[in-house]
Amino acid sequence: MLRSLFLHLSRAGWARRLASGRRARRAAARFVAGDTLDQAISAVRRINAAGLSATLDHLGENVTDRAEAEAARVDYLMLIDRLAESDLQAHPSLKLTQLGLRLDPSFCLENLRLIARQATQHNAFLGIDMEDSSAVKPTLAICGQLRSEGFLNVGTVIQSYLYRSEADLRVLLQQGFHIRLVKGAYQEPASVAFPRKQDVDANFDRLCRVLLEHARDCPAPAGTPQGRLPAIAAIATHDETRITFARRCAEELGLPHHSFEFQMLFGIRSDLQRRLADEGYPVRVYVPYGTEWFPYYMRRLAERPANVIFVLRNVIRP
Ligand code: FDA
């Protein structure tokens, strides 16, 4: 019930306007590194100092006009330049609906191509997030197009709640994509996604095994530039049972720790992030920043109703 409510609010313009106050922003601060790139870079510096790497998301999605998409493109070009000038262990992650996917896929592709070109020049990696199920097919098509144009530094996301994901994963791995495996954060109908959590979890483990077997058989796709590229397989979850499964599976397959990475979100299970890093696993933290934090924040509340108490405490506190 609460999950559906927050996922509904994440798409509601009126709720976004209502939550524009300082108190709501303060409550979101747990999950969002700051409003500006400088604040995000400071967060990444702290994360790197603790021995973890990062991926930076300049928040924004479902833009409704071309100017917004072009502004997002400029921001990402700037982010890539800033990372290239620095010694930070971090790369960008972006959403295609932020670059105009819903307005015109070819306009979105052109925006993404310019960003991918800049990333290639700096030998940097670019992660493409996965959004709701209506965006999956066009996102995969655009990723495939970029790859066919020779951009080998692009990776994307597979969501274990979707029925289609195993087939998608196998195709993407064959094409040499870097993959981040997640459970999936959007409201989806039973016609496309497992409605029961235990099925989503079971599918996560199944896909995790496919991913790790691939990491064993094809450690780095031919022609992939190395340098600051992440591991080919990323297991992105805070669920300790899934993490234990991944670790056991990797051991069974004889995979060294550095052949895949764990990823978690900024502000969630920092204790677990540090513990895995201390045990020698590469850990990457997803660091969102920017003023368009509302939909991202609602999805985080949807995942864990206990967060609501934390929010209320912040909003009510004088
Ligand atoms: P689950 O929801 O079962 O949570 C397991 C445990 O983790 C909880 O019991 C709790 O302890 C902790 N936890 C989880 N969420 C929490 C929260 N919000 N607050 C506090 N504690 C929490 N999704 C997507 O659709 N497209 C994408 O591109 C991405 N990208 C992405 C990148 C990275 C690095 C991560 C970690 C996740 C994503 N996701 C995503 C989100 C993902 O789909 C999923 O919604 C969240 O990771 C929560 O699911 P868990 O796997 O953590 O399991």
Side-chain angles (χ1 to χ4, degrees), residues 158-162 165-167 169-170 173 181-182 200-213 235 245:
I158 282 288
Q159 298 154 317
S160 75
Y161 64 10
L162 294 183
S165 286
E166 182 167 352
L169 176 61
R170 290 186 187 280
L173 289 176
L181 175 62
V182 303
V200 177
D201 288 347
N203 201 36
F204 192 98
D205 291 348
R206 203 161 30 243
L207 301 182
C208 174
R209 181 175 283 280
V210 174
L211 202 45
L212 294 180
E213 281 172 354
I235 310 300
F245 177 90

Side-chain angles (χ1 to χ4, degrees), residues 22 149 241 262:
R22 250 189 315 147
E149 293 175 17
T241 311
F262 288 110

Side-chain angles (χ1 to χ4, degrees), residues 130 159 180 183-185 197 237-238 300 303-304 307:
M130 194 55 81
Q159 298 154 317
R180 176 200 303 155
K183 290 189 187 177
K197 181 169 163 42
T237 182
H238 317 91
R300 301 296 74 84
E303 282 154 6
R304 195 157 180 255
N307 289 339

Side-chain angles (χ1 to χ4, degrees), residues 83-108:
L83 292 177
E85 287 161 9
S86 74
D87 55 351
L88 295 173
Q89 294 300 313
H91 62 248
S93 280
L94 53 79
K95 292 183 173 50
L96 292 191
T97 67
Q98 187 179 14
L99 297 180
L101 183 69
R102 302 225 192 267
L103 301 172
D104 172 0
S106 53
F107 166 68
C108 172

Side-chain angles (χ1 to χ4, degrees), residues 30-31 128-131 157 159 161 180 182-186 197 201 204 236-240 263-265 268-269 284 286 299-301 303-304 307:
R30 176 187 163 189
F31 301 111
I128 314 286
D129 288 354
M130 194 55 81
E131 302 177 66
V157 174
Q159 298 154 317
Y161 64 10
R180 176 200 303 155
V182 303
K183 290 189 187 177
Y186 298 83
K197 181 169 163 42
D201 288 347
F204 192 98
T237 182
H238 317 91
D239 182 338
E240 294 208 53
Q263 294 189 358
M264 291 184 219
L265 301 175
I268 302 181
R269 295 300 314 265
R284 187 176 301 274
Y286 184 101
R299 289 197 290 275
R300 301 296 74 84
L301 295 187
E303 282 154 6
R304 195 157 180 255
N307 289 339

Side-chain angles (χ1 to χ4, degrees), residues 265-296:
L265 301 175
F266 180 82
I268 302 181
R269 295 300 314 265
S270 313
D271 58 325
L272 182 56
Q273 296 171 16
R274 266 193 304 274
R275 201 188 328 140
L276 288 168
D278 287 347
E279 289 180 41
Y281 290 99
V283 177
R284 187 176 301 274
V285 182
Y286 184 101
V287 180
Y289 70 97
T291 52
E292 295 299 317
W293 47 266
F294 184 77
Y296 177 87

